[in-house]
Amino acid sequence: DQQVKQNSPSLSVQEGRISILNCDYTNSMFDYFLWYKKYPAEGPTFLISISSIKDKNEDGRFTVFLNKSAKHLSLHIVPSQPGDSAVYFCAASEGKYIFGTGTRLKVLA
Amino acid sequence: NAGVTQTPKFRILKIGQSMTLQCAQDMNHNYMYWYRQDPGMGLKLIYYSVGAGITDKGEVPNGYNVSRSTTEDFPLRLELAAPSQTSVYFCASSYLTSPPGELFFGEGSRLTVL
């Protein structure tokens, strides 16, 4: 029973364009959402978060959007850079953190 | 800044052997977690702890045990290793805050059971 889902296992984007990574969840009790970035052979690192009382949070090139009625969040990266190539995980919290399966982003130079 | 430290980084076990994955954090975080990452399966929560002396099961606890005798340490024990436990294990920690704080992860421990 996957409570947090990332339905796209991979995504390729041209450098300078927008990357959009999507995440769906089923548990309406989740009150906080986070995005993590993971490079090979390293632990995940925190990228950006959003509280359930907001619908948008922006940090530099990264923006997270939350649509509570659709139980959907997305991460926008603008402009995409080759260094953004990594696996991106969304996570949701109701005390403990539940992670999605990840999306592998490849930014082409 | 050590952050979250996991040992060992790599280990090969035979079926039926036991071992302990060590995790230590020096940030005085209340919460600590153990996750496993299987290929294409994301991060699954094994066990977590909200403070010394308190632990609770996550999504996939079978075959594992944990203890939290101090704030700093959260070891994960495999009693009878099975091939299904071949995975990369990540320890993480966070503050108890409202809203929840970010998770800080260790670099991972790659375990192979043959």
Side-chain angles (χ1 to χ4, degrees):
Chain A
D1 181 21
Q2 192 77 20
Q3 295 188 67
V4 180
K5 300 178 185 179
Q6 294 175 256
N7 292 318
S8 298
S10 63
L11 174 69
S12 291
V13 172
Q14 207 65 34
E15 181 179 7
R17 307 295 289 268
I18 184 171
S19 295
I20 300 176
L21 296 98
N22 294 303
C23 180
D24 297 293
Y25 62 96
T26 57
N27 187 347
S28 57
M29 299 303 292
F30 287 140
D31 57 3
Y32 203 65
F33 303 88
L34 307 93
W35 283 94
Y36 279 79
K37 179 178 178 179
K38 185 182 181 304
Y39 292 118
E42 295 183 9
T45 54
F46 173 75
L47 199 55
I48 193 169
S49 62
I50 188 167
S51 166
S52 60
I53 62 174
K54 295 187 175 181
D55 55 19
K56 178 182 173 181
N57 188 28
E58 194 171 349
D59 184 2
R61 296 186 297 115
F62 303 92
T63 303
V64 55
F65 295 92
L66 176 62
N67 182 333
K68 282 179 62 180
S69 60
K71 294 191 178 67
H72 177 83
L73 66 155
S74 60
L75 174 68
H76 292 209
I77 306 174
V78 183
S80 301
Q81 299 173 352
D84 296 329
S85 297
V87 177
Y88 289 79
F89 292 99
C90 66
S93 172
E94 48 157 351
K96 58 184 186 287
Y97 295 81
I98 303 297
F99 281 78
T101 51
T103 296
R104 183 178 302 277
L105 173 65
K106 189 171 185 179
V107 180
L108 307 169
Chain B
N1 293 343
V4 179
T5 303
Q6 291 182 234
T7 56
K9 287 191 170 29
F10 303 94
R11 182 75 186 267
I12 298 175
L13 281 181
K14 293 182 180 178
I15 295 172
Q17 285 186 318
S18 61
M19 75 158 299
T20 299
L21 297 176
Q22 301 291 345
C23 176
Q25 54 91 9
D26 62 357
M27 298 172 281
N28 203 31
H29 284 170
N30 322 78
Y31 280 53
M32 294 187 75
Y33 311 80
W34 274 105
Y35 289 89
R36 58 179 284 174
Q37 186 190 12
D38 300 326
M41 296 300 290
L43 292 159
K44 292 288 189 182
L45 181 63
I46 305 171
Y47 270 95
Y48 67 105
S49 168
V50 302
I54 306 169
T55 62
D56 208 349
K57 296 178 181 179
E59 302 168 271
V60 288
N62 292 343
Y64 306 93
N65 278 302
V66 293
S67 59
R68 184 95 181 270
S69 56
T70 67
T71 301
E72 294 78 20
D73 300 298
F74 191 42
L76 178 72
R77 178 104 179 136
L78 286 73
E79 291 294 349
L80 290 169
S84 61
Q85 294 177 304
T86 294
S87 189
V88 181
Y89 292 82
F90 290 98
C91 179
S93 69
S94 68
Y95 281 119
L96 172 62
T97 58
S98 179
E102 65 178 270
L103 286 176
F104 292 81
F105 281 87
E107 293 186 342
S109 298
R110 183 177 294 276
L111 175 67
T112 302
V113 182
L114 300 174

